[in-house]
Amino acid sequence: MTEPSVQPNLTPQFCFNTVALRDFLRISRSAIDDSITQNLNALVTPARQGFDPNSTSFRTPRASSRSIDPRACQEFKTKVLFPSWQARSDVLTYCAYVATSPDPDDPELAQREAETERNRERVVDERLDPYSGRYFPREPRTEILANLLRQERSVESIVRSRTWGLVLERCGDSFQDAEEALNHWRMGRERRKS
């Protein structure tokens, strides 16, 4: 069975390193969600009987219609799928907190303040150059992180929806929504801890 995604050490530096953040999300998604069909196919119990040569004389239904043992499906969801989703949710939530917190360690803060001050002191004759009055300050790294997180949350929603649709098709479940199923798993995990 596939291993769930391992959550990285959460620090503000991890969040501000957008390459590392995107890599974690990409690798986690590719290991679990992008290969969900293969992961589900791996749960199908092989034939209990030997090979029957007569089986090649007629068409069999698609592999996706082969039933998966409900216990195997449940184990996959609780030990691989939901922990991976939770690890990604934890990273996105933590980084969102970092993005909305003040950033006293911003290395470009002094540079941005100097640029803003230079822009205030600048004399602009808009008759000579109507565009010279424009000033576009650099975005602080917290804003860049917040924009990235908005994009990644949208991607995460789409990926989970697609994955959950395949899980429902192959395994069935009482929950029609991925978030509802994940929240139910979280509550069960919390009850077991306490």
Side-chain angles (χ1 to χ4, degrees):
M1 188 180 300
T2 306
E3 293 295 316
S5 300
V6 178
Q7 182 174 322
N9 186 20
L10 296 179
T11 62
Q13 290 76 23
F14 171 77
C15 295
F16 288 125
N17 183 348
T18 57
V19 172
L21 175 60
R22 280 188 162 151
D23 282 350
F24 164 74
L25 295 170
R26 180 181 47 79
I27 291 167
S28 175
R29 289 173 183 146
S30 69
I32 306 300
D33 296 273
D34 293 350
S35 58
I36 189 66
T37 301
Q38 292 88 338
N39 288 327
L40 292 174
N41 284 343
L43 300 176
V44 175
T45 307
R48 289 182 175 80
Q49 306 163 359
F51 175 69
D52 178 12
N54 293 329
S55 67
T56 60
S57 62
F58 58 90
R59 265 203 137 135
T60 56
R62 286 183 51 200
S64 67
S65 64
R66 288 190 288 177
S67 62
I68 300 175
D69 179 22
R71 289 186 307 260
C73 269
Q74 189 60 35
E75 184 178 353
F76 173 75
K77 289 185 285 190
T78 58
K79 292 188 176 176
V80 177
L81 184 63
F82 293 148
S84 295
W85 285 1
Q86 185 63 46
R88 294 197 307 256
S89 290
D90 290 347
V91 167
L92 291 171
T93 301
Y94 176 80
C95 289
Y97 173 75
V98 169
T100 57
S101 299
D103 185 11
D105 300 328
D106 188 352
E108 295 180 352
L109 180 63
Q111 185 179 4
R112 274 196 318 277
E113 287 175 350
E115 286 176 0
T116 302
E117 189 60 36
R118 267 183 281 161
N119 183 55
R120 278 192 215 122
E121 294 170 358
R122 197 171 57 160
V123 177
V124 176
D125 185 357
E126 290 189 10
R127 291 179 300 160
L128 297 175
D129 183 3
Y131 300 106
S132 63
R134 292 185 177 178
Y135 170 65
F136 299 105
R138 285 188 216 199
E139 287 184 320
R141 65 184 188 166
T142 53
E143 285 183 34
I144 293 169
L145 178 59
N147 287 333
L148 172 67
L149 291 172
R150 270 190 291 280
Q151 291 171 350
E152 291 299 335
R153 283 201 188 273
S154 295
V155 169
E156 189 69 17
S157 174
I158 293 166
V159 166
R160 285 184 187 181
S161 173
R162 180 189 162 276
T163 299
W164 191 247
L166 291 169
V167 169
L168 279 179
E169 179 183 313
R170 298 289 302 276
C171 295
D173 202 295
S174 57
F175 299 104
Q176 293 300 313
D177 180 45
E179 289 304 314
E180 182 184 353
L182 180 60
N183 288 335
H184 185 270
W185 173 80
R186 285 176 182 147
M187 289 188 311
R189 189 179 67 162
E190 292 300 318
R191 279 193 296 261
R192 284 189 297 277
K193 283 183 179 178
S194 54

